[in-house]
Amino acid sequence: MEKLKIEGGNPLKGNIKVSGAKNSAVALIPATILADSPTVIEGLPDISDVHTLKALLEEIGGSVEFEDGEMRVNPEGMVAMPLPNGRVKKLRASYYLMGAMLGKFKKAAIGLPGGCYLGPRPIDQHIKGFEALGATVTNEQGALYLRADELKGARIYLDVVSVGATINIMLAAVRAKGQTIIENAAKEPEIIDVATLLSNMGANIKGAGTNVIRIEGVDELHGTRHTIIPDRIEAGTFMILAAAAGEGVTINNVIPLHVESLIAKLREMGVPVEIGDEDVYIGKSENLKSIDIQTLVYPGFPTDLQQPMTSLMTKIHGTAMVTDTIYSARFKHIDELKRMNANIKTEGRAAIVYGPSVLQGARVKASDLRAGAALVIAGLMAEGITEVTGLEHIDRGYSDLIEKLSGLGAVIWREEMSAEELEQVNNA
Ligand code: EPU
């Protein structure tokens, strides 16, 4: 097992390119099951979640090629193979196999999903949607069994605005009989991306990106070619990193509208930001002002950037409050930042940052994907060497991170862990 080592304090300069969106990729790949002929998705990130989903499609009989970010999925040999255990536990988004397989085969058996622990992450709204469409859903020894004689369109009001439930219901409804209306739907760009793929496959979807989505079921879907949207969370991570340790960094392959809330907050802190058509420039920032952040559903400030932002906020002059309204336990990175000399207190869903602190290199552990991103940023800001373990989380969502950061002048590398270090990490 490897750890990441970072020599902090090297000024970052130049250009860094954002990859395709992880949270789109993990839905687009299962969506290819719904077609009766091959689909090609271009621009996929080279991350472990994508490789896991490729293997899952192969497990159900699909034939999948993946090279240079382009995935070709031939669904012709796919069957409704139960997937109660194994790879489905590796990522949260394996729940999209439920919607896609239910939509195609009218049945699915999928183990309850894994993924980052950020507090309780129920999927009751997904289930409510499947049941409204006519499926029977039972939980048998940690796997959900979904069965329907026929799927029929329905009006579904989501009690919680959920990205996963919105997409999963779309996947199950596109081949159902009649009209489905999803009310109080989530509006994230990834939902529009999935709806675009499905529409190009022959689905009839209106309103994706608003809070009411209307779907007219069709009998069959065909393969198509689709280019994924850029990853707004990776873009945001790079913008924050540039503000934290940069002296002029341009982030390429960004849709600036997707990161508007972050741009607003960075400007409020005093970070120089210039917006181009498909790129964002972050200038050297000094004397950062204190700001408060509250995570909200899109287009509000994304919870996925809350953790990286906390690292940057250790530089502010004053006190700042971060409140996560989406997840109750997304603060595991804070204990690690404290090891690096940050002065932060947590109280329930809020963290109070007292700045400025000069971060010091330390041995820290990534407990989840974005905690990993927060610690990499902290390592780049810190004096001395930082060692980050828990890389399996970072590898789930950031492709070619070392190459990309090295291109900006960061001193960052991977090292094999010794047996003793492995034991320490496992016992921690
Ligand atoms: N929720 C329910 N019931 C449900 C579904 C959700 O109560 O049936 C709650 C959740 O517990 C949470 C809130 O609703 O408090 C929002 O959850 P949502 O369903 O929107 O989250 P998700 O679909 O499971 C996706 C991203 C997350 C991101 C959230 C919020 C994927 C694969 N994951 O999760 O991304 O934090 O939306 O934007 O798309 C990440 O990339 O690091 C990550 C965790």
Side-chain angles (χ1 to χ4, degrees):
M1 201 181 264
E2 289 180 323
K3 62 185 173 188
L4 201 60
K5 285 183 91 171
I6 305 165
E7 183 192 288
N10 294 293
L12 309 180
K13 268 190 200 157
N15 289 264
I16 187 164
K17 190 175 171 199
V18 173
S19 300
K22 163 190 167 272
N23 288 345
S24 264
V26 296
L28 295 172
I29 296 169
T32 62
I33 296 173
L34 286 158
D36 294 325
S37 51
T39 293
V40 176
I41 308 172
E42 291 171 20
L44 287 170
D46 191 6
I47 52 175
S48 63
D49 274 9
V50 165
H51 289 277
T52 306
L53 283 167
K54 172 182 183 284
L56 283 163
L57 294 194
E58 287 167 341
E59 244 180 88
I60 63 167
S63 115
V64 189
E65 290 154 34
F66 182 40
E67 216 183 324
D68 295 333
E70 188 170 299
M71 186 177 283
R72 183 178 189 277
V73 182
N74 185 348
E76 279 159 29
M78 287 182 183
V79 291
M81 174 83 81
L83 298 167
N85 288 305
R87 290 191 183 90
V88 288
K89 308 272 183 200
K90 283 194 178 173
L91 77 165
R92 175 134 191 100
S94 51
Y95 54 40
Y96 290 133
L97 294 167
M98 296 178 190
M101 289 176 78
L102 183 65
K104 171 92 170 242
F105 305 114
K106 312 288 172 272
K107 61 179 176 182
I110 312 287
L112 284 166
C116 297
Y117 182 78
L118 312 172
R121 296 177 78 181
I123 56 166
D124 55 302
Q125 299 302 305
H126 304 229
I127 295 169
K128 170 177 161 173
F130 298 146
E131 287 177 338
L133 294 171
T136 308
V137 184
T138 52
N139 183 343
E140 296 171 28
Q141 295 171 336
L144 284 191
Y145 285 74
L146 300 93
R147 302 176 186 91
D149 295 329
E150 182 183 50
L151 292 174
K152 274 197 192 150
R155 180 180 281 267
I156 301 158
Y157 176 84
L158 296 181
D159 300 319
V160 182
V161 180
S162 157
V163 177
T166 303
I167 293 180
N168 233 342
I169 295 168
M170 274 194 330
L171 294 172
V174 280
R175 290 182 65 160
K177 294 241 170 312
Q179 190 185 52
T180 297
I181 301 176
I182 310 174
E183 292 174 324
N184 202 26
K187 297 185 280 197
E188 270 70 358
E190 293 76 20
I191 292 161
I192 303 177
D193 203 23
V194 177
T196 305
L197 170 75
L198 292 170
S199 301
N200 291 335
M201 285 162 77
N204 186 344
I205 304 175
K206 293 197 180 78
T210 75
N211 58 7
V212 181
I213 301 179
R214 289 189 160 74
I215 302 163
E216 284 297 335
V218 295
D219 288 339
E220 48 183 45
L221 296 177
H222 52 79
T224 186
R225 183 172 271 274
H226 180 81
T227 303
I228 193 168
I229 56 168
D231 195 314
R232 65 195 167 93
I233 305 301
E234 189 191 24
T237 304
F238 293 160
M239 288 162 63
I240 293 168
L241 174 154
E247 291 192 354
V249 173
T250 302
I251 296 107
N252 304 114
N253 193 32
V254 184
I255 298 177
L257 186 69
H258 291 176
V259 283
E260 255 190 345
S261 58
L262 175 62
I263 291 172
K265 281 292 164 186
L266 289 176
R267 284 186 167 153
E268 210 178 307
M269 284 172 102
V271 176
V273 183
E274 286 168 32
I275 305 170
D277 289 341
E278 290 180 30
D279 42 55
V280 175
Y281 172 83
I282 306 287
K284 183 172 177 171
S285 48
E286 277 157 326
N287 295 327
L288 294 182
K289 287 182 235 148
S290 93
I291 54 155
D292 291 333
I293 283 179
Q294 195 174 70
T295 69
L296 292 167
V297 294
Y298 188 83
F301 193 90
T303 169
D304 297 341
L305 290 177
Q306 173 267 108
Q307 292 161 294
M309 196 67 172
T310 320
S311 299
L312 171 62
M313 287 166 90
T314 60
K315 275 177 76 165
I316 57 156
H317 289 254
T319 306
M321 186 144 104
V322 180
T323 313
D324 199 320
T325 70
I326 309 290
Y327 294 115
S328 60
R330 208 170 194 177
F331 284 132
K332 292 228 180 79
H333 59 301
I334 286 184
D335 282 340
E336 305 304 296
L337 289 176
K338 284 193 203 160
R339 281 182 216 281
M340 298 178 71
N341 197 39
N343 187 359
I344 309 177
K345 255 196 217 156
T346 47
E347 265 183 43
R349 283 173 176 247
I352 302 149
V353 186
Y354 302 91
S357 305
V358 177
L359 297 182
Q360 306 292 331
R363 287 184 168 183
V364 288
K365 184 174 178 178
S367 53
D368 56 84
L369 170 59
R370 309 301 170 188
L375 297 175
V376 170
I377 294 171
L380 293 166
M381 296 163 73
E383 289 180 347
I385 304 273
T386 296
E387 293 190 10
V388 185
T389 56
L391 294 196
E392 66 281 9
H393 297 293
I394 300 179
D395 291 340
R396 284 193 37 228
Y398 290 93
S399 62
D400 308 315
L401 187 65
I402 293 192
E403 293 74 7
K404 288 184 183 183
L405 296 182
S406 302
L408 291 179
V411 181
I412 178 168
W413 67 101
R414 278 175 183 257
E415 247 178 54
E416 201 58 43
M417 286 164 76
S418 66
E420 194 187 330
E421 283 175 327
L422 258 178
E423 200 180 314
Q424 278 172 9
V425 166
N426 291 338
N427 294 338

